[in-house]
Amino acid sequence: MRVLAVANQKGGVGKTTTTVNLGAALAEAGRRSLVVDLDPQGSLTASLDLRIAEDGYSTYDAIVDGEPLARTVLPTGVENLSACPSDPSLAGVDLELAAEFRDPKRRASRLRESLAAFSRSDSATTEFVLLDCPPSLGLLTVNALVAADSVLVPMQCEFFAMQGLSRLLDTVARIGESWNPDLQLFGVFFTMVDRRMNLSRQVIAEVRRGLGRQVLEAEVPRSVRLAEAPSFGLPVQLYDPGSKAVAAYSKLAREVLSR
Ligand code: ATP
Ligand code: MG
């Protein structure tokens, strides 16, 4: 089971869209995949129209109360793709875990423990787990980084992109040193690209100069169909199979599969 955290503390850069559509692309390639909503805003939960049953659980219950992650897993409309929904109480995780666990490492390892138990019990043999992080470097993102094998960083082509990136990479490096020595940067992935704009081309060129091969080949163009798909509760693969965004996420999936 490979665990990929989709993280960037900057809001609205395409984390959730990438989690949903990369998950769907991996599932379409025949790989059993699980997407996990770690954001109290619940955008992934809404994007896939996940409904928690009356007696059902969310990622909050798994992280705070230690409920088995398997109890939160729901099917999606896509074969081979399942999902763990969040709920708004996830916003209180920092305070609740701080009250419950004195040891900062234990607080940061809740999701890692939960995924390890899931992996042991998982008869469906999930191959890929994608963690949709909230737009902050708080305890939820830290839990994702401690649980992950690698980090995928979606990024928008804008002037300040590089600045936020160095803070994120510092955090990744610090967590790697202290709590998760195997953590790797999988790569930076450009979203909402408009190649007609000089700025887009300049930003991509600058980031490539700085990071070299850590910038992925795949990039997703700005796409109205991609932005519309969540309101239908569908990944773009099902909403508009012929769109350029589908091709872009399939290319990203191939990069994930080949590394
Ligand atoms: P947050 O930080 O709030 O969690 P996020 O990083 O998860 O945001 P998304 O929710 O994936 O970002 O995307 C932000 C908005 O941009 C959404 O409305 C989404 O539909 C839209 N969007 C994402 N990718 C694209 C794209 N390639 N083209 C057009 N719109 C996009
Ligand atoms: Mg999001």
Side-chain angles (χ1 to χ4, degrees), residues 15-16 39 41 43 132-133 135:
K15 293 179 287 296
T16 302
D39 188 347
Q41 294 179 104
S43 314
D132 183 23
C133 295

